[in-house]
Amino acid sequence: MRLVSIDMLKPDMKIARAVYNQGALVLPAGRTDVARYISNLRNMGIEYVYVEDNKSEGIEIPDAIAEKTRTSCKQILQNTIEQFSISDKLETKALEDCVTSVITEILNTPDIQVSLNDIASADEYTYTHSVSTMVYALMIARKLNYSEPKLAVLGMGTLLHDIGKMLIDREVMFKEGELTQKEYEYVKMHSLYGYQTLRRIASLPEQVRLIAYMHHERIDGSGYPQGLSGDELNQLIRIVSIADVYDALTTDRCYRKKWPANKAMDFLVERSGKEFDPVLVGLFTQQLAVYPNGSLVRLSNQYMGIVSKQNKSMPLRPFVRVIQDAKGNDIVPYEIDLMKELCVTITESELEISRNKPAISPDEL
Ligand SMILES: [Fe+2]
Ligand SMILES: [Fe+2]
């Protein structure tokens, strides 16, 4: 299996993971002849899909939780929030069950380097983002040996961290292109709106509400809404801020394309010790694949290949299945282990190849 830009879809590829839009199945797994869906996918804001083809046969892309769990959590979150906006009652039971099932899976998943890359249409972004951010946050927390009740608070807080966006005008929320300063200030209100919304639900722990309120704070005081710093931000908030930014950067948005995993990790590492807690950034990045399985890479000898397996001790040197020579000709694929071929390195990752440099993002909302 591999992840390809929809511009690179070829007739011999078949969909490896189903594509959904607003809970509805758009492209089932196994569908061939996918090129004719390109414009549909693009209209939904989907730029990448997982495919199976001869070149990527046998390559597995590990996820921290099962696809079924992820899809059902997203659906439960969406239904719960839509129901809440009509009835003003938040059915927390279904959300609690979904948090519990994710915690159980994460605690039982072997410690491997994962790449999530869930595919989200623009309309579903907030739900997909909330579930992925929860998974990332719980991955960090499992390294801290949190008790299950503490993981449950973190999970629920992360799942609801952007609930305030529901009160932001759709036109501004999904605006293509850069926000004006005024619009940006308005969107920032989502953390306060989130807190106020969650205060209406008496059964929620205060810490869940505080995650919604403070997830954009940074330990050097550069965040919002209050510009809190240092010890004013507890560990749960610090975890969510890292998970939130990483997921936002690695997902397509209406105003920019997603960043490759290695760039998003560099972003966190560069800011660790300033905006982000360095210990937590370390615990997080050690669990992520720098060059995820299934991604296309260019090697220093100009050959192209697909990452096929990770080398845990050397994340920058995975196994690569070489598929193209330096002149761009397809070749009979063969596998190399970059931990053994020390004179070859990865020079570019997929997204850089398909569209050159990623755009610089505004601070993630
Ligand atoms: Fe946010
Ligand atoms: Fe967020």
Side-chain angles (χ1 to χ4, degrees):
M1 190 197 311
R2 62 170 161 152
L3 186 66
V4 294
S5 151
I6 56 171
D7 300 319
M8 294 169 87
L9 284 171
K10 302 261 165 54
D12 67 326
M13 293 174 175
K14 78 177 179 211
I15 295 291
R17 284 189 189 166
V19 179
Y20 295 87
N21 184 31
Q22 295 184 306
L25 185 62
V26 178
L27 266 182
R31 175 66 56 89
T32 50
D33 191 15
V34 285
R36 60 197 174 104
Y37 297 97
I38 293 177
S39 61
N40 258 353
L41 291 168
R42 178 152 296 131
N43 289 341
M44 288 183 279
I46 293 171
E47 294 284 338
Y48 285 82
V49 286
Y50 286 99
V51 298
E52 201 74 72
D53 63 355
N54 286 342
K55 291 175 182 149
S56 61
E57 210 182 321
I59 297 177
E60 284 172 20
I61 305 181
D63 195 343
I65 59 167
E67 196 185 338
K68 214 172 105 204
T69 315
R70 183 182 282 283
T71 313
S72 95
C73 261
K74 225 160 44 178
Q75 199 54 54
I76 289 169
L77 180 64
Q78 181 163 4
N79 293 346
T80 309
I81 289 183
E82 282 173 2
Q83 195 52 42
F84 176 59
S85 64
I86 303 166
S87 68
D88 210 35
K89 282 204 185 77
L90 191 77
E91 293 297 338
T92 49
K93 177 74 178 72
L95 295 180
E96 278 162 16
D97 291 347
C98 139
V99 172
T100 309
S101 61
V102 173
I103 292 172
T104 311
E105 281 194 35
I106 287 187
L107 293 181
N108 291 312
T109 307
D111 193 359
I112 41 160
Q113 285 149 319
V114 298
S115 48
L116 305 187
N117 266 324
D118 193 15
I119 293 166
S121 65
D123 286 334
E124 277 188 328
Y125 171 74
T126 302
Y127 307 114
T128 307
H129 165 67
S130 300
V131 173
S132 291
T133 305
M134 168 172 72
V135 171
Y136 287 135
L138 292 171
M139 280 167 55
I140 300 174
R142 77 167 164 190
K143 292 282 174 191
L144 297 161
N145 297 321
Y146 277 14
S147 65
E148 291 209 19
K150 197 167 174 185
L151 289 173
V153 169
L154 175 66
M156 184 64 97
T158 319
L159 207 49
L160 297 173
H161 78 280
D162 273 334
I163 194 170
K165 284 186 178 171
M166 164 181 119
L167 299 172
I168 304 287
D169 248 344
R170 276 185 65 89
E171 256 173 60
V172 181
M173 207 58 247
F174 294 107
K175 184 181 169 185
E176 286 183 30
E178 231 172 289
L179 297 179
T180 63
Q181 190 58 34
K182 208 170 149 205
E183 287 167 335
Y184 183 51
E185 293 304 322
Y186 168 57
V187 175
K188 279 170 148 184
M189 294 299 288
H190 77 277
S191 47
L192 175 63
Y193 293 163
Y195 181 71
Q196 290 170 338
T197 302
L198 297 177
R199 270 184 69 176
R200 303 208 304 267
I201 300 133
S203 63
L204 286 178
E206 179 67 2
Q207 186 57 52
V208 167
R209 303 184 187 118
L210 289 177
I211 289 174
Y213 189 41
M214 297 184 179
H215 67 278
H216 289 285
E217 298 285 3
R218 301 289 180 253
I219 53 177
D220 61 0
S222 62
Y224 65 87
Q226 296 188 85
L228 301 176
S229 61
D231 292 344
E232 290 171 311
L233 303 176
N234 68 36
Q235 199 173 49
L236 297 186
I237 306 291
R238 292 168 181 229
I239 290 173
V240 178
S241 69
I242 293 168
D244 181 38
V245 165
Y246 183 80
D247 183 67
L249 287 175
T250 51
T251 309
D252 280 321
R253 303 299 305 275
C254 35
Y255 53 85
R256 65 146 174 80
K257 301 297 176 200
K258 70 181 189 168
W259 287 21
N262 60 320
K263 295 280 169 204
M265 283 162 87
D266 286 350
F267 183 94
L268 287 178
V269 171
E270 272 164 26
R271 286 161 179 76
S272 91
K274 295 174 221 147
E275 295 175 36
F276 303 110
D277 185 316
V279 175
L280 299 176
V281 170
L283 292 179
F284 185 38
T285 53
Q286 65 178 234
Q287 300 182 73
L288 297 171
V290 180
Y291 297 110
N293 287 11
S295 56
L296 194 66
V297 289
R298 191 190 305 280
L299 302 171
S300 50
N301 57 12
Q302 298 304 313
Y303 279 52
M304 302 270 281
I306 304 169
V307 177
S308 54
K309 211 165 84 182
Q310 300 294 311
N311 271 315
K312 190 162 175 38
S313 57
M314 270 206 191
L316 295 171
R317 301 195 142 276
F319 286 72
V320 174
R321 184 175 297 175
V322 183
I323 57 165
Q324 236 175 46
D325 68 15
K327 290 188 183 128
N329 301 316
D330 284 354
I331 52 173
V332 178
Y334 62 92
E335 207 106 344
I336 56 168
D337 177 359
L338 290 183
M339 210 149 97
K340 293 192 180 126
E341 308 268 343
L342 290 172
C343 51
V344 182
T345 55
I346 292 175
T347 55
E348 259 184 313
S349 58
E350 172 159 31
L351 304 169
E352 295 163 275
I353 295 167
S354 58
R355 63 165 74 98
N356 288 318
K357 296 287 169 243
I360 291 299
S361 134
D363 257 343
E364 292 305 312
L365 304 171

